[in-house]
Amino acid sequence: MSDFTGEAIPEPAALPAAIDRLRRERRAVILAHWYQRPEIQDLADFRGDSLALAQAARDTDAEVIAFAGVHFMAEVAKILSPERIVVLPDLQAGCSLDEDCPPAELAAWRREHPDHKVVAYINCSAAVKAQADIICTSGNAVKVVESFPADQPLLFAPDRNLGAHIAARTGRTLELWPGRCFVHVRFDAERIAARKASRPGSVFIAHPECEAQVLQIADFVGSTSQMLRFVQDSPAGTIIVGTESGMLHEMRRRAPDKTLLPAPCHKDVPGCDECAHMKRNTLEKLYLCLRDLAPRIEMDEDLRRRALAPLERMLAL
Ligand code: 13P
Ligand code: SF4
């Protein structure tokens, strides 16, 4: 592959064109999650929720995957497409759910529940995935849980709120790991209800990582892509959106005539509804990772194979 590492970093205004050129020269595909900065989403070849991005990473024939998202998402891309170079603009872009679930502690929890199967939400490390029987995303968790016989006891990790929501939706008893998304737990049910009451005819939609009292007052709960479809299809003129604020960029583009309001947090702190991990990625870092083909996601082959099996079970559903 050509060496572009000596190339000077372009001025900010020239970055999109430089990224586009490098993408073609590197035979790269840029995948972006809906929480990425608008300027990154606008450049991406493919945008989506965790499930759609995993499928795109599996199906691409590009030589390089530049993953504008967080570490566990890029890891999934590497697990599914080991022959490709996978780069992440900022290796520090993590996830609080991943941090809340150290692999050794999960292993101890599994030993305490030898009769249980493990459903792992995709927001976790490869070392946690490798211990799971199946992976799920917020978009398919109901289907995944229902794929087990009704009498099969299940452990669900790491997101407690998603797990409790899926237990209620399916009528199943799930043992829940106490992980939380540090962004979604900031939304405030009372303030959301007040905002809704002040806008007659408005509806409130939420991501399932929100707390139970927030989900209880939601008119719709779904993954980021499912929320986007709801916004496009809903007859409501005003929609209050309970998820990371990056999501509003595409929602406003697809539904320009609707009033889309971010859900209020517990405190009026600017950026309270932003995921600091997702926002670590910038156009300059995206340019650099395509220029230098670094930082790369590398993985031990034995770990990759063990993490692949439960991911494939999910994708086969
Ligand atoms: P989605 O799979 O719904 O896009 O969720 C990913 C995520 O990290 C939510 O915080
Ligand atoms: Fe993780 Fe929450 Fe950020 Fe999603 S929004 S990547 S769950 S910390």
Side-chain angles (χ1 to χ4, degrees):
M1 258 192 204
S2 319
D3 183 13
F4 300 101
T5 50
E7 192 175 285
I9 301 173
E11 292 297 311
L15 279 171
I19 291 169
D20 196 37
R21 175 180 50 80
L22 277 178
R23 160 180 34 208
R24 279 182 272 109
E25 282 167 345
R26 293 293 196 200
R27 293 196 17 85
V29 66
I30 301 173
L31 306 184
H33 188 263
W34 296 122
Y35 298 164
Q36 289 297 291
R37 296 169 188 277
E39 61 272 23
I40 291 183
Q41 290 193 40
D42 292 348
L43 263 177
D45 296 286
F46 189 88
R47 294 161 301 150
D49 63 6
S50 306
L51 180 60
L53 291 171
Q55 288 162 336
R58 178 197 59 188
D59 297 341
T60 185
D61 57 7
E63 286 175 26
V64 175
I65 298 174
F67 210 117
V70 292
H71 190 271
F72 79 82
M73 295 178 175
E75 236 181 19
V76 167
K78 187 68 186 174
I79 294 167
L80 293 169
S81 273
E83 67 286 4
R84 308 195 193 289
I85 294 172
V86 179
V87 287
L88 182 65
D90 189 321
L91 216 47
Q92 303 302 317
C95 171
S96 70
L97 286 166
D98 180 349
E99 287 160 24
D100 280 351
C101 193
E105 290 180 28
L106 186 84
W109 195 48
R110 284 174 54 227
R111 282 194 294 277
E112 289 166 20
H113 299 85
D115 300 333
H116 289 60
K117 300 271 190 203
V118 180
V119 179
Y121 184 33
I122 197 164
N123 295 41
C124 64
S125 63
V128 165
K129 287 186 179 76
Q131 300 182 49
D133 293 283
I134 192 163
I135 307 301
C136 74
T137 71
S138 56
N140 65 13
V142 167
K143 198 173 178 182
V144 166
V145 165
E146 287 181 340
S147 70
F148 288 94
D151 58 353
Q152 171 61 56
L154 296 173
L155 301 179
F156 189 95
D159 190 61
R160 170 179 285 275
N161 289 332
L162 173 65
H165 174 69
I166 298 307
R169 288 264 312 265
T170 58
R172 302 281 294 247
T173 304
L174 303 178
E175 296 295 326
L176 303 177
W177 185 265
R180 296 173 348 144
C181 162
F182 77 134
V183 182
H184 284 89
V185 297
R186 294 186 191 138
F187 295 114
D188 186 297
E190 272 183 34
R191 300 183 82 191
I192 293 166
R195 185 162 293 181
K196 203 177 153 187
S198 72
R199 304 263 181 163
S202 65
V203 296
F204 168 56
I205 63 175
H207 193 276
E209 291 168 8
C210 295
E211 299 274 33
Q213 59 272 29
V214 169
L215 297 180
Q216 266 157 24
I217 60 166
D219 299 287
F220 175 76
V221 177
S223 78
T224 50
S225 291
Q226 290 165 346
M227 293 171 88
L228 185 58
R229 273 195 294 279
F230 180 95
V231 165
Q232 282 181 276
D233 298 345
S234 169
T238 301
I239 302 173
I240 302 167
V241 180
T243 195
E244 211 270 359
S245 55
M247 191 71 243
L248 290 162
H249 174 62
E250 184 65 11
M251 286 179 171
R252 290 193 170 125
R253 208 179 63 77
R254 293 204 199 174
D257 299 334
K258 291 181 181 159
T259 303
L260 299 168
L261 303 172
C265 301
H266 297 299
K267 289 186 193 147
D268 288 321
V269 178
C272 67
D273 53 7
E274 285 188 0
C275 174
H277 290 298
M278 286 279 182
K279 297 307 196 249
R280 290 184 85 100
N281 297 328
T282 60
L283 274 189
E284 183 173 314
K285 289 181 199 170
L286 181 58
Y287 164 82
L288 287 172
C289 80
L290 282 165
R291 188 192 75 174
D292 302 342
L293 294 180
R296 288 187 199 191
I297 304 291
E298 309 280 8
M299 202 178 299
D300 169 74
E301 180 57 13
D302 176 57
L303 172 63
R304 190 193 71 79
R305 282 178 193 275
R306 285 185 289 121
L308 176 64
L311 262 171
E312 282 187 328
R313 262 173 236 130
M314 171 186 83
L315 292 170
L317 273 185

